Amino acid sequence: MRKPPRAPLSPEASAVISAFTVSRRTLMRGTLASSALVAAGGVLTACGTQGQTQTAEGCVSEDLSATEKTLSFSNWPLYLDVDAQDESKHPTLDAFTAQTGIAVTYTEDINDNNEFFGKVQNQLAGCQPTNRDVMVLTDWMGARLIRLGWLQKLDVAKMPNVQANLLSSLRNRAFDPAGEYSVPWQGGLSGLAYNAAVTGEIRTVDELLTRADLKGRVTAFAEMRDTIGLLLQSNGHDPSNFTAAQFDDALAKLQKAVDSGQIRRFTGNDYATELAGGDIAACMAWSGDVIQLSAEDEKVRFVIPESGVIQYSDDMMVPNKATHKANAEALMNYYYDPAVAAEVAAYVNYICPVEGARAEAEKTDPELAANTLIFPDETVTSKAKGFMALDEATEKAYEQKFQAVIGA
């Protein structure tokens, strides 16, 4: 039987998290509503500031990979395999260094997309180095950085594994059709979860928002795209292609649930401990979190709502002025070796973006390979939709409306 995924904390991660099974998706976002507002407000203001957009011609980056075998890699906490005996070591990363001679400085310093944007926006807006060669951000943030011209164009010819093994569902994405700026690291599903020790089964978003026995015992996400995406689906609308009126309808449904007291609060990953302990009965949840929780307690269950789930990916990107792009491309190519990808998937428990990794996992861990929340089948993918790409003005307007409803 597969052992429950471990959740060791590096010194960097310990500085930002302390909860059990905290993963990487919008860490602690919503714990302090005022913090979320500051982050969102700062980003939204920055989005419309003139003079921030860059071009490849105007912001030239020099690649020193030929002479400098180093790489700086920024990621979320608990998003890479660790050694069972020495939590400071990452077996796949050590193998990459042994194979290529490229020494990697790995830092778990991303705990929220908006917060991280705030860390790097001044440098990237001014065509200055961030001291990072690879950073992993969620697809919608990647779309923003591409729009701003803050990422280096990747040489896809140097990443044959990516070209051969990227899942078909992650190809030809609207914000980066040719995959020239972003390479998926891991993915996940935004759906529902419940604790069977304290409530009966839940199957729909409407149940979560209206069932009398759940009043005051549910949480929703402080991440607009996840919460509104699920509500759009519950209204019969497509979150990948919707109108302003449909957005407002979803928001009105959310407002009604807030006003009635149905929703206890809006959260980031911090819902996980409350769900595991039965402090909340049901919630909006991310698939990887619930896989980890259910490994400890099978009564904690993930649900794909009848109306569908929201699918997202977190992507590797190379920022402007990074000086080791070729080394970064070698890293991306390495992690698209199916055997390597399977090893990472066994630890992080999110959707593996690599074709062939499932077959590799079957050799060592059939239970892992059979988990459709890690290696989705048609039953899952047919119900999964991404959130529509937004332009700057629409993103700002939607975020402001959403923040007003959730009380941030």
Side-chain angles (χ1 to χ4, degrees):
M1 181 175 178
R2 182 166 60 91
K3 294 181 180 179
R6 300 169 66 250
L9 298 179
S10 69
E12 295 91 346
S14 295
V16 295
I17 56 177
S18 59
F20 166 67
T21 64
V22 178
S23 58
R24 85 303 148 279
R25 176 83 170 123
T26 8
L27 219 63
M28 302 303 288
R29 188 159 178 229
T31 301
L32 298 174
S34 58
S35 297
L37 180 60
V38 169
V43 170
L44 293 171
T45 300
C47 278
T49 301
Q50 292 184 345
Q52 288 210 333
T53 302
Q54 297 289 346
T55 65
E57 295 75 22
C59 185
V60 178
S61 302
E62 183 182 10
D63 192 355
L64 304 177
S65 297
T67 56
E68 296 182 0
K69 295 298 181 182
T70 62
L71 185 69
S72 176
F73 184 3
S74 282
N75 206 345
W76 303 73
L78 311 181
Y79 219 18
L80 184 63
D81 55 299
V82 299
D83 188 278
Q85 305 303 317
D86 185 347
E87 297 174 359
S88 67
K89 293 184 177 180
H90 305 280
T92 60
L93 206 55
D94 292 342
F96 170 75
T97 297
Q99 183 182 114
T100 64
I102 299 171
V104 181
T105 300
Y106 184 74
T107 309
E108 296 175 326
D109 62 344
I110 302 175
N111 78 264
D112 178 273
N113 284 289
N114 282 329
E115 178 186 284
F116 187 79
F117 184 96
K119 286 182 182 179
V120 300
Q121 65 175 324
N122 289 338
Q123 294 100 310
L124 292 175
C127 189
Q128 298 296 318
T130 62
N131 299 318
R132 297 170 174 87
D133 297 303
V134 177
M135 53 191 190
V136 177
L137 295 170
T138 306
D139 45 21
W140 62 267
M141 181 59 77
R144 179 186 294 171
L145 299 189
I146 293 171
R147 187 173 69 224
L148 291 168
W150 291 359
L151 301 178
Q152 293 188 49
K153 188 175 182 179
L154 302 171
D155 186 345
V156 296
K158 291 183 178 179
M159 301 182 291
N161 286 345
V162 177
Q163 299 309 298
N165 299 327
L166 177 63
L167 290 180
S168 59
S169 61
L170 292 170
R171 296 178 186 269
N172 304 312
R173 296 182 293 175
F175 68 91
D176 187 16
E180 295 177 315
Y181 294 95
S182 59
V183 174
W185 171 251
Q186 300 290 306
L189 301 173
S190 303
L192 306 178
Y194 68 98
N195 187 329
V198 296
T199 192
E201 183 181 26
I202 183 171
R203 299 303 309 172
T204 70
V205 173
D206 286 349
E207 281 186 81
L208 185 77
L209 299 183
T210 63
R211 225 170 72 184
D213 64 305
L214 297 176
K215 185 173 182 178
R217 305 169 65 210
V218 305
T219 60
F221 285 131
E223 169 57 64
M224 183 266 288
R225 287 164 177 80
D226 291 312
T227 292
I228 295 297
L230 288 169
L231 287 166
L232 283 164
Q233 288 176 315
S234 73
N235 283 343
H237 299 141
D238 183 350
S240 67
N241 184 21
F242 59 89
T243 66
Q246 290 169 346
F247 177 90
D248 288 343
D249 285 345
L251 198 63
K253 178 183 279 191
L254 183 64
Q255 183 72 70
K256 186 176 181 180
V258 170
D259 292 344
S260 70
Q262 184 77 7
I263 299 174
R264 176 180 293 187
R265 67 188 186 96
F266 291 85
T267 73
N269 286 79
D270 45 327
Y271 70 86
T273 48
E274 294 181 61
L275 181 64
D279 297 318
I280 57 173
C283 59
M284 293 182 181
W286 289 305
S287 55
D289 291 342
V290 180
I291 292 172
Q292 294 180 19
L293 293 174
S294 62
E296 296 287 340
D297 183 355
E298 63 181 11
K299 291 182 179 179
V300 177
R301 299 166 187 173
F302 186 78
V303 175
I304 294 178
E306 294 174 0
S307 52
V309 287
I310 301 299
Q311 184 172 5
Y312 61 85
S313 68
D314 294 321
D315 301 341
M316 295 178 281
M317 311 162 198
V318 178
N320 285 349
K321 305 305 287 187
T323 54
H324 305 101
K325 184 171 79 77
N327 291 346
E329 291 161 345
L331 179 87
M332 295 175 190
N333 190 64
Y334 166 79
Y335 275 103
Y336 270 70
D337 179 312
V340 176
E343 190 171 349
V344 174
Y347 180 80
V348 303
N349 288 174
Y350 277 82
I351 293 177
C352 178
V354 181
E355 190 72 50
R358 184 177 196 163
E360 289 295 329
E362 286 175 347
K363 298 175 184 178
T364 57
D365 194 339
E367 184 181 350
L368 175 78
N371 192 324
T372 57
L373 296 181
I374 299 174
F375 300 105
D377 58 15
E378 175 61 24
T379 303
V380 175
T381 58
S382 65
K383 288 200 165 193
K385 290 281 190 178
F387 195 87
M388 184 172 73
L390 305 175
D391 60 34
E392 292 179 14
T394 305
E395 180 178 37
K396 180 177 180 179
Y398 285 177
E399 282 282 7
Q400 288 177 337
K401 287 182 177 182
F402 180 72
Q403 295 294 328
V405 170
I406 71 174

